[in-house]
Amino acid sequence: MKLTRSLNLLITGAALSLGACTYADGSQGVVSTPTPVAAGEAPAPKKAKNVILFIGDGMGISTITAARIYAGQKRGQSGEEYVLPFEKFDNVALVKTYNTNAQVPDSAGTATAMHSGQKTKIGVLGVGPDVVRADCASGLANPLPLLGEEVNRRGLALGIVSTARITHATPASVYARSADRNWEADNGIPEDQRGLGCDDVATQLINADFQVALGGGSALFFGDGVEDGSRRLNSNANLPADWVARTSGTLVRDAAGLDAAPKDKPVLGLFSPSHMTYMAERMDGSDKGASEPTLTEMTGQAIARLKSDPDGYYLMVESGRIDHGHHAGKAGFALEETVEFANAIQYAIDNTDPEETLIMVTADHSHVFTIAGYPRRGNDILGLVVPPESGGAEVTEAAKAEDGRPYTTLGYANGPGSIANLAERPIPETGINARQQSAISTGSETHAGEDVALYAQGPGADKARGVIEQNVVYDIIRSAFGWE
């Protein structure tokens, strides 16, 4: 039979091939259990000297798509064909973001997963899922490992950058443990939980070891009798002064100060009383936020300061205000933050060696943010839906709502722009300052529960594949460093 003849040829060919092999002792011939060719062992996977984790807070896939179009349109393109820098990375995964007690997560639980290797409850930092939220003793009894602490123990440099308060959930997950993410300053801890051994997050940062920490939130580090301080238990508190005395580091308060700070000493940058200024507000012609460094500038400063460490570094960079723009129902604000986030990533790509630096880009969670309505190619992403020519009657009809009025391409399932219970829906606002309409009325638009993307390039990036749990990001980082 033809099949039998094919099998005989295959077996004979295999034997001839084996007979031609040269073995480690120099002999040749066919043996029942062939010994591999002595070609040396396969090279070990290349380790990363440095790892940079970029977290776009709230940067779900719909945000990436809209930001891609927005960025392209800012460059005079139709937008859809544009490619954001991290979209060129070869390694991509989908990440499941749920918390242990929540289908739709918050930033504290998700960021903890990425920096401890374990998922936990919504609203807590660096403590395990058995914790009782807002209970100090429970928090102390359920500590998780922190990546920032391991980086220090292994002698690497540590950097933390955020456009949010540096004590906010995502940056705090690098260095802090707290039974409640809202314990950012002493006045955030309830009176019955004080004095039980739980430090507020600002105090934990001051006591941590880092080379670079840049962000907002200065009010949380000073007493309410000092500068713009909000700490109340000690009206004369000056935590940065304590940190400078301990580390001989430099406190900086603006971009000029950051530029001038010594490169060979730790630097703590606190550039605004709370979160840093939205990029959209910095573009409005006023001087609001003019003294603050941009996310790209902070990223550049961090890389320049960390790269001198011969043992390497770990750097976490968060675009915190993507999330805040969405919560406000202002898609233009969120997209402008995402574009600046992409600029910071491009800077890192251009100023690091891909042979020794793993760069990962992800989000902690998504938002209830939609792109809809069959708009024509190149339609203003922040504008009203305009249907394509020759799109058909049903597409043209879909460009207007049942009330006969237009709607925007971008919208929200819930949020402060609700049209619910309105006698007559207004014509929606458009442009970067617009608040998009939403279906359900909530004071703040909420997170969403779908998977987010993870993009990676550099040593260890091949592990960013498939659908993974969010805590696996921690494993990828440790594996890239060779800490398995």
Side-chain angles (χ1 to χ4, degrees):
M1 295 176 62
K2 186 176 181 181
L3 177 59
T4 302
R5 183 173 182 276
S6 297
L7 287 171
N8 286 335
L9 288 172
L10 179 62
I11 293 167
T12 302
L16 289 172
S17 177
L18 286 169
C21 288
T22 300
Y23 302 112
D25 62 0
S27 63
Q28 293 184 332
V30 179
V31 294
S32 59
T33 305
T35 305
V37 176
E41 294 184 3
K46 188 173 179 60
K47 295 179 182 178
K49 179 181 180 182
N50 317 305
V51 175
I52 306 175
L53 177 62
F54 284 93
I55 300 176
D57 195 324
M59 190 183 70
I61 292 175
S62 59
T63 300
I64 293 172
T65 302
R68 175 197 307 146
I69 296 171
Y70 178 71
Q73 291 181 348
K74 288 183 65 148
R75 289 163 173 77
Q77 303 173 10
S78 68
E80 296 83 1
E81 72 283 5
Y82 186 71
V83 179
L84 295 167
F86 54 89
E87 294 183 296
K88 300 174 185 177
F89 292 178
D90 290 334
N91 302 279
V92 182
L94 290 176
V95 180
K96 297 192 284 185
T97 64
Y98 64 91
N99 297 143
T100 57
N101 63 340
Q103 282 184 337
V104 177
D106 85 322
S107 296
T110 53
T112 292
M114 289 187 274
H115 282 119
S116 74
Q118 185 170 335
K119 284 179 178 277
T120 191
K121 288 181 175 177
I122 195 168
V124 301
L125 285 165
V127 292
D130 292 333
V131 71
V132 176
R133 184 172 178 178
D135 183 274
C136 175
S138 179
L140 294 174
N142 289 279
L144 292 176
L146 297 181
L147 186 63
E149 290 181 346
E150 184 169 11
V151 166
N152 281 315
R153 284 198 308 272
R154 292 181 179 270
L156 279 68
L158 177 64
I160 308 157
V161 171
S162 179
T163 52
R165 293 190 296 268
I166 199 67
T167 53
H168 214 232
T170 301
S173 70
V174 179
Y175 61 85
R177 298 180 179 88
S178 181
D180 194 313
R181 60 173 291 175
N182 296 319
W183 293 359
E184 292 184 61
D186 59 2
N187 55 305
I189 301 178
E191 188 172 352
D192 66 348
Q193 297 299 312
R194 295 173 187 167
L196 301 179
C198 290
D199 288 333
D200 61 80
V201 176
T203 296
Q204 291 186 61
L205 177 64
I206 292 303
N207 291 330
D209 292 321
F210 57 84
Q211 282 63 50
V212 179
L214 308 174
S218 61
L220 305 177
F221 293 83
F222 297 97
D224 56 11
V226 180
E227 297 189 9
D228 53 15
S230 63
R231 300 181 70 86
R232 294 176 187 163
L233 301 186
N234 178 1
S235 62
N236 296 315
N238 187 332
L239 300 188
D242 298 337
W243 175 80
V244 170
R246 179 174 69 86
T247 66
S248 298
T250 305
L251 171 67
V252 297
R253 306 299 297 274
D254 54 29
L258 180 58
D259 287 341
K263 295 293 191 293
D264 58 348
K265 293 182 179 181
V267 61
L268 171 62
L270 300 173
F271 303 113
S272 61
S274 185
H275 305 304
M276 293 177 68
T277 305
Y278 283 114
M279 290 300 297
E281 293 178 332
R282 295 178 60 150
M283 296 164 50
D284 65 6
S286 69
D287 62 354
K288 187 173 183 181
S291 67
E292 300 173 14
T294 64
L295 184 61
T296 301
E297 290 168 344
M298 290 192 291
T299 301
Q301 285 280 350
I303 291 172
R305 292 166 184 277
L306 296 171
K307 68 181 182 181
S308 61
D309 192 302
D311 296 316
Y313 62 81
Y314 174 69
L315 171 62
M316 192 288 299
V317 178
E318 183 206 22
S319 179
R321 307 227 69 189
I322 298 172
D323 178 71
H324 301 158
H326 280 319
H327 280 308
K330 291 192 168 188
F333 277 43
L335 298 187
E336 193 60 48
E337 294 297 310
T338 309
V339 169
E340 175 59 19
F341 185 53
N343 292 340
I345 295 166
Q346 185 65 64
Y347 182 95
I349 294 169
D350 293 341
N351 290 275
T352 58
D353 182 351
E355 294 297 315
E356 66 179 23
T357 301
L358 170 63
I359 298 177
M360 295 195 291
V361 181
T362 191
D364 46 359
H365 55 74
S366 184
H367 277 266
V368 292
F369 176 58
T370 62
I371 308 171
Y374 310 117
R376 66 178 60 181
R377 173 79 181 271
N379 196 61
D380 180 3
I381 192 65
L382 295 176
L384 301 173
V385 171
V386 178
E389 296 180 5
S390 305
E394 69 278 10
V395 170
T396 299
E397 182 179 351
K400 295 287 178 67
E402 288 291 316
D403 60 10
R405 292 171 177 254
Y407 58 94
T408 53
T409 300
L410 304 181
Y412 293 95
N414 60 38
S418 173
I419 59 172
N421 303 317
L422 292 179
E424 183 176 276
R425 181 174 68 91
I427 299 293
E429 302 172 356
T430 59
I432 193 169
N433 293 306
R435 171 167 282 160
Q436 276 67 33
Q437 294 179 345
S438 66
I440 298 169
S441 180
T442 55
S444 173
E445 179 266 359
T446 72
H447 298 171
E450 74 271 15
D451 298 350
V452 298
L454 169 66
Y455 306 82
Q457 78 164 19
D462 59 311
K463 287 184 167 55
R465 294 296 178 100
V467 180
I468 63 174
E469 297 286 357
Q470 196 159 40
N471 51 291
V472 172
V473 173
Y474 171 86
D475 298 330
I476 294 173
I477 294 170
R478 296 189 75 257
S479 175
F481 277 132
W483 297 347
E484 290 180 302

